């Protein structure tokens, strides 16, 4: 590939100037951040939300509109990294949870809402059995436990660029904070490279854990042939196939993997399914999940005070039963695909080296001219341009992930989507100068 010798126009000085504009515009958020830093390291408790010079403090959300401490309104296109699928004021969830908590709150008991949600999940996603956790991270940890116990093996295949939770993070190799499993790190979307590793480690491999689309890693869909090839080889080797659909189960009627015509042995869930409350779940084949059946002599223990908490279970019932039926999910996916195409059209009108990737209602911007297909290509993004885009969209009232991600909620209106495209167009015009 030819390399340009011209220096990038997206200089550190431009970034410093954009940060200064941001700081001037948001004095109350700065004050809130200073206070937060006194009691929380870095002023936050969720690393993804932190950025220079400081993150905005928000005070209110209505529908898909957020208002910050300085009184600016934002169109919320982040949608809480896919968890906020219903906007900020979905009455049906709030009313149902209010009523359920009025009957039974914080009780260490079995109740109808957990069975109701389990039944809805099994029907919707084609699972034999499901168990609940408090987060997607925990769901993945428990899915891994299930596979390790079932196979009696010790290695786990994961993918470069994958993210399965705070202790299962593989953006640039295993992170220092990761749980101490024996990982085999494979190249995403590289079937021959992955097959070689499966061949080398096959006899020790308990599971392959894969996202059908890298979410946190940049909304990079897996090539369907890659996924099919990996699953076939993993099964041949006797390993359990675990699909992490914590983000992607929102796509189509039954999740992204099913749209690819594939089925995992265990699938993990989280985010929007809890209707705004902490949520995680793992489910799949009875042969695997029934290891948790306490009628079995050597069953796996899986406790958790809030696993079946009434608020989340009730909210989940409303989500799958009413708010996000299979038909609505299919329509929302199509709406996202259409919006991504319109973003692509806007990018095409400007000479700024940006590309867009994603599937359905999950979309990511990349500061590189051609769309990346794996984590190494994502790492080649121009960090300055990436930040200028993010700050430029903020300044124009569009709220997105620091890393350049949108996830559309059902609350966002067509008028808001059109306004977001105008803001993008204006931002790119400015960047191209
Ligand atoms: C694909 C994927 N798996 C797992 C997780 C972890 O979920 P949680 O943040 O609920 O622990 C995330 C969170 O972003 C995710 O994107």
């Amino acid at each position: 590939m030819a390399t340009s010798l011209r220096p990038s126009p997206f200089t550190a000085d431009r970034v410093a100037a954009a940060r200064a504009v941001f700081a001037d515009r948001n004095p109350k958020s700065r004050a809130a951040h200073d206070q937060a830093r006194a009691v929380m390291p870095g002023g936050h408790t969720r690393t993804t939300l932190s950025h220079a010079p400081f993150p905005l403090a928000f005070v209110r959300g209505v529908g898909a509109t957020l208002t910050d401490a300085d009184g600016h309104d934002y169109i919320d296109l982040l949608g809480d990294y896919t968890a906020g699928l219903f906007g900020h004021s979905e009455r049906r969830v709030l009313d149902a949870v209010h009523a359920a908590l009025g009957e039974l709150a914080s009780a260490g008991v079995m109740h109808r809402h957990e069975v109701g949600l389990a039944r809805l999940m099994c029907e919707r996603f084609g699972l034999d059995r499901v168990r609940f956790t408090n987060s997607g991270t925990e769901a993945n940890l428990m899915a891994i436990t299930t596979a390790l116990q079932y196979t009696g093996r010790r290695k786990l295949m994961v993918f470069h660029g994958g993210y399965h939770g705070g202790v299962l993070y593989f953006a640039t190799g295993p992170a220092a904070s990761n749980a101490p499993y024996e990982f085999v790190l494979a190249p995403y979307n590289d079937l021959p490279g992955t097959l070689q590793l499966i061949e080398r480690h096959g006899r020790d491999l308990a599971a392959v854990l894969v996202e059908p689309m890298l979410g946190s890693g940049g909304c990079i869909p897996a090539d369907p042939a890659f996924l099919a090839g990996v699953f076939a080889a993993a099964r041949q080797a006797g390993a359990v196939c675990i699909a992490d659909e914590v983000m992607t189960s929102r796509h189509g009627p039954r999740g992204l993997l099913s749209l690819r015509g594939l089925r995992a042995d265990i699938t993990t869930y989280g985010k929007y399914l809890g209707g705004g409350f902490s949520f995680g779940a793992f489910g799949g084949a009875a042969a695997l999940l029934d290891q948790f059946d306490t009628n079995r002599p050597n069953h796996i223990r899986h406790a958790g005070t809030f696993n079946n908490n009434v608020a989340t279970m009730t909210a989940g019932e409303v989500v799958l039963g009413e708010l996000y039926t299979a038909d609505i999910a299919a329509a929302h996916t199509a709406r996202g695909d259409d919006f991504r195409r319109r973003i692509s059209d806007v990018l095409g009108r400007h000479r700024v080296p940006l590309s867009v990737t994603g599937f359905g209602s999950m979309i990511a911007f990349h500061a590189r001219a051609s769309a990346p297909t794996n984590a190494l290509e994502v790492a080649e993004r121009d960090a300055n341009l990436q930040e200028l885009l993010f700050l430029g969209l903020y300044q124009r009232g569009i709220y997105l992930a620091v890393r350049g991600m949108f996830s559309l909620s059902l609350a966002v209106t067509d008028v808001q989507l059109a306004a977001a495209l105008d803001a993008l167009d204006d931002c790119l015009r400015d960047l191209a100068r």
Side-chain angles (χ1 to χ4, degrees):
M1 196 168 67
T3 325
S4 166
L5 294 176
R6 256 186 304 149
S8 165
F10 309 108
T11 59
D13 284 352
R14 271 180 96 171
V15 173
R19 286 183 188 175
V21 169
F22 175 93
D24 283 350
R25 192 171 181 263
N26 297 294
K28 290 194 175 146
S29 280
R30 180 198 280 280
H33 180 61
D34 289 343
Q35 285 179 9
R37 282 175 57 198
V39 283
M40 293 190 287
H44 57 79
T45 195
R46 204 172 160 187
T47 306
T48 28
L49 296 180
S50 108
H51 66 86
F54 51 83
L56 295 173
F58 283 91
V59 293
R60 201 168 40 256
V62 177
T65 303
L66 285 167
T67 305
D68 74 9
D70 289 281
H72 309 121
D73 282 343
Y74 290 81
I75 299 171
D76 181 6
L77 293 189
L78 173 57
D80 199 2
Y81 300 84
T82 72
L85 182 53
F86 311 105
H88 305 290
S89 40
E90 176 46 65
R91 288 292 347 153
R92 284 169 289 182
V93 169
L94 298 179
D95 290 347
V97 170
H98 191 259
L101 289 179
E103 287 171 1
L104 189 69
S106 199
V109 298
M110 294 288 306
H111 56 85
R112 67 189 164 94
H113 299 292
E114 65 184 300
V115 185
L117 179 55
R119 188 174 298 126
L120 284 166
M121 283 196 68
C122 286
E123 282 169 9
R124 176 69 159 271
F125 297 113
L127 312 170
D128 294 340
R129 308 273 193 271
V130 68
R131 287 185 76 85
F132 298 115
T133 63
N134 298 282
S135 67
T137 305
E138 262 185 78
N140 281 314
L141 291 171
M142 291 313 302
I144 290 169
T145 300
T146 311
L148 292 175
Q149 292 292 321
Y150 186 76
T151 59
R153 299 175 177 181
R154 58 181 211 284
K155 290 191 182 174
L156 279 176
M157 175 166 278
V158 290
F159 291 86
H160 208 122
Y163 180 75
H164 307 285
V167 295
L168 295 163
Y169 177 47
F170 305 96
T172 48
S177 52
N178 276 356
Y181 295 111
E182 260 188 71
F183 295 114
V184 175
L185 192 59
Y188 198 74
N189 269 340
D190 173 354
L191 185 56
T194 301
L195 293 184
Q196 262 181 22
L197 288 169
I198 293 179
E199 198 169 311
R200 190 179 322 151
H201 298 278
R203 282 197 314 189
D204 297 323
L205 216 51
V208 171
L209 171 60
V210 65
E211 291 166 88
M213 166 165 68
L214 295 180
S216 163
C219 294
I220 313 279
D223 182 340
F226 166 76
L227 276 181
V230 170
F231 273 29
R235 287 194 171 118
Q236 181 74 29
V240 175
C241 294
I242 306 175
D244 180 341
E245 293 235 58
V246 166
M247 281 189 168
T248 55
S249 74
R250 58 164 41 202
H251 300 312
R254 276 172 297 280
L256 182 50
L257 198 68
S258 138
L259 289 176
R260 303 306 198 198
L262 293 171
R263 212 180 150 83
D265 304 315
I266 305 177
T267 306
T268 57
Y269 301 90
K271 305 281 190 193
Y272 74 95
L273 284 165
F277 295 87
S278 303
F279 179 73
F282 62 107
L288 288 154
L289 269 288
D290 283 349
Q291 293 180 100
F292 292 90
D293 184 340
T294 37
N295 294 309
R296 292 193 174 188
N298 293 320
H299 61 267
I300 308 174
R301 281 189 60 77
H302 169 225
T305 305
F306 292 107
N307 284 356
N308 67 341
N309 79 81
V310 171
T312 303
M313 298 295 109
T314 304
E317 285 184 303
V318 178
V319 166
L320 280 183
E322 286 181 54
L323 303 182
Y324 208 56
T325 59
D327 287 348
I328 294 173
H332 193 55
T333 305
R335 188 183 190 216
D337 282 336
D338 177 61
F339 185 57
R340 196 177 64 257
R341 277 190 283 273
R342 287 158 69 202
I343 289 175
S344 233
D345 291 345
V346 175
L347 296 186
R349 292 205 288 270
H350 298 272
R351 293 172 60 83
V352 179
L354 281 167
S355 53
V356 63
T357 59
F359 187 93
S361 54
M362 291 169 59
I363 297 166
F365 292 94
H366 303 276
R368 49 173 278 141
S370 61
T373 59
N374 59 42
L376 291 177
E377 291 175 2
V378 170
E380 288 168 8
R381 305 195 303 192
D382 178 328
N384 285 348
L385 174 56
Q386 197 75 38
E387 185 171 347
L388 286 168
L389 175 74
F390 149 71
L391 289 172
L393 288 176
Y394 260 31
Q395 201 185 332
R396 290 166 176 81
I398 307 300
Y399 190 66
L400 72 162
V402 178
R403 61 174 179 254
M405 177 183 171
F406 288 167
S407 75
L408 302 188
S409 71
L410 292 174
V412 72
T413 64
D414 288 343
V415 171
Q416 286 178 312
L417 290 184
L421 292 175
D422 287 346
L424 177 65
D425 196 44
D426 189 51
C427 182
L428 295 180
R429 198 172 303 119
D430 199 27
L431 285 170
R433 271 198 274 125

